[in-house]
Amino acid sequence: MMLTEKEIKAPNGIMFIFILLALQLATFAVVFNGISNQSGMQTAIGLVLAVPVFICWFGFFMVNPKEARVLQLFGKYAGTVHLPGLRWANPFYSKSRVSMRVRNFESGKLKVNDNNGNPIEIAAVIVWEVVDSAEAVFNVDDYEDFVSIQSESALRNLATSYAYDHHDNDEISLRSHPNEISKALKSEVQERLAKAGVNVIEARISHLAYAPEIANAMLRRQQAMAIIAARQKVVEGAVGMVEMALTQLSEREIVDLDSERKAAMVSNLLVVLCSDEAAQPVINSGSLY
């Protein structure tokens, strides 16, 4: 059976100090009066009353800000106290401390295979907080250990669901879509930790790289892809400039070029525009033919 948090109001501890102090002094007075009057019955009554009052002194506990105390009575969940300060409750309650503060969990570098089967190293930072103290204490054995194990499990599952780098513009990858990957990771971790009363505030990739054994090969691949992409842009721009030059020469009637001369001009312009090095001009002092 899944338990959910039930908040209870514990009385103010400062007030109970004075109440118990008054009761304890009253019981002592009854005992001393019975002894002085040599009344065994009165002395026994005073002692019987003094014992439970003394036990009540063990009911005090402190609740710090952003902290909760889960109360149990002989194994049965009684409720959770959130109000900070000195509080008093049944001295037979067991009082478990649960921090409600925001905490970070940083996974170690995990070595997994991405969606394409490439070995990669990945790590993440998970920002989380406990929002249901009863679920955190009773639904899992150790909620802190549960957060760490389930977060790493979710990170492994995420890494195998996406490729490290994209080969299609519409494909979501670990490296090129950080926002989408963070949302997917947060959703994956939250789904796993919800049963432990934990709310995931943020989840982000903190380390992402190819595994050392393939890092050099993948780096050369990325460089080759970058060179090809740059060449495509250069060629597209050069073709556009050549087309513009021929169009303007024709429209302004600056020079009349036949097919052969147009081909020669296109060839020369493409060489100049697409060359890695500066073109060396050749001056033709004679006829074109």
Side-chain angles (χ1 to χ4, degrees):
M1 183 179 67
M2 301 285 286
L3 290 175
T4 56
E5 184 177 278
K6 177 180 66 175
E7 186 174 358
I8 60 174
K9 305 292 184 182
N12 190 308
I14 302 297
M15 178 185 66
F16 258 79
I17 288 178
F18 293 103
I19 294 175
L20 291 179
L21 185 61
L23 292 174
Q24 196 75 75
L25 292 175
T27 56
F28 288 161
V30 171
V31 172
F32 291 144
N33 190 39
I35 293 175
S36 62
N37 293 334
Q38 296 182 351
S39 174
M41 179 65 69
Q42 187 176 5
T43 302
I45 292 174
L47 291 174
V48 170
L49 294 176
V51 171
V53 174
F54 175 75
I55 294 175
C56 287
W57 285 100
F58 294 94
F60 292 99
F61 62 97
M62 185 71 69
V63 181
N64 297 316
K66 295 294 292 182
E67 183 182 87
R69 286 297 189 103
V70 177
L71 307 183
Q72 291 177 260
L73 181 61
F74 305 123
K76 182 179 179 181
Y77 174 57
T80 301
V81 179
H82 285 280
L83 198 61
L86 181 63
R87 300 289 152 189
W88 184 90
N90 188 330
F92 293 101
Y93 280 155
S94 64
K95 308 168 182 71
S96 304
R97 187 192 307 267
V98 178
S99 175
M100 311 295 285
R101 298 182 178 92
V102 176
R103 283 178 275 185
N104 290 325
F105 166 72
E106 184 174 6
S107 70
K109 294 180 181 179
L110 306 178
K111 187 174 180 181
V112 296
N113 292 334
D114 69 356
N115 188 253
N116 294 331
N118 298 317
I120 63 173
E121 291 182 347
I122 190 170
V125 173
I126 311 296
V127 183
W128 62 280
E129 63 180 348
V130 175
V131 293
D132 192 307
S133 58
E135 289 183 345
V137 172
F138 300 115
N139 289 349
V140 295
D141 189 36
D142 185 336
Y143 67 92
E144 292 183 348
D145 190 48
F146 187 79
V147 168
S148 63
I149 293 176
Q150 292 300 322
S151 297
E152 291 188 353
S153 176
L155 181 60
R156 287 182 181 275
N157 186 62
L158 178 84
T160 58
S161 301
Y162 296 93
Y164 176 89
D165 207 351
H166 68 89
H167 304 292
D168 185 359
N169 291 333
D170 297 330
E171 182 184 2
I172 296 178
S173 66
L174 297 172
R175 188 179 68 87
S176 60
H177 296 77
N179 293 331
E180 289 80 357
I181 294 300
S182 295
K183 291 179 181 178
L185 178 60
K186 179 181 176 181
S187 177
E188 179 92 16
V189 177
Q190 181 63 74
E191 183 180 355
R192 294 168 182 260
L193 299 183
K195 64 184 69 175
V198 172
N199 175 51
V200 178
I201 300 174
E202 184 181 9
R204 291 195 173 274
I205 302 297
S206 60
H207 173 78
L208 181 64
Y210 281 114
E213 58 267 26
I214 67 166
N216 291 333
M218 288 301 176
L219 178 59
R220 290 194 297 269
R221 177 184 175 184
Q222 290 176 350
Q223 290 174 341
M225 293 176 63
I227 292 173
I228 292 173
R231 287 290 186 184
Q232 288 177 345
K233 292 295 182 182
V234 169
V235 171
E236 289 177 5
V239 171
M241 293 175 67
V242 170
E243 182 181 5
M244 180 182 64
L246 292 176
T247 301
Q248 291 185 4
L249 288 174
S250 176
E251 290 178 351
R252 298 180 185 181
E253 298 181 353
I254 297 175
V255 64
D256 186 17
L257 299 175
D258 56 17
S259 299
E260 186 177 353
R261 292 185 177 182
K262 284 183 180 180
M265 183 177 180
V266 169
S267 176
N268 292 334
L269 286 175
L270 288 177
V271 169
V272 171
L273 295 173
C274 298
S275 177
D276 289 335
E277 299 179 357
Q280 299 295 326
V282 177
I283 301 176
N284 185 11
S285 57
S287 171
L288 178 64
Y289 302 102

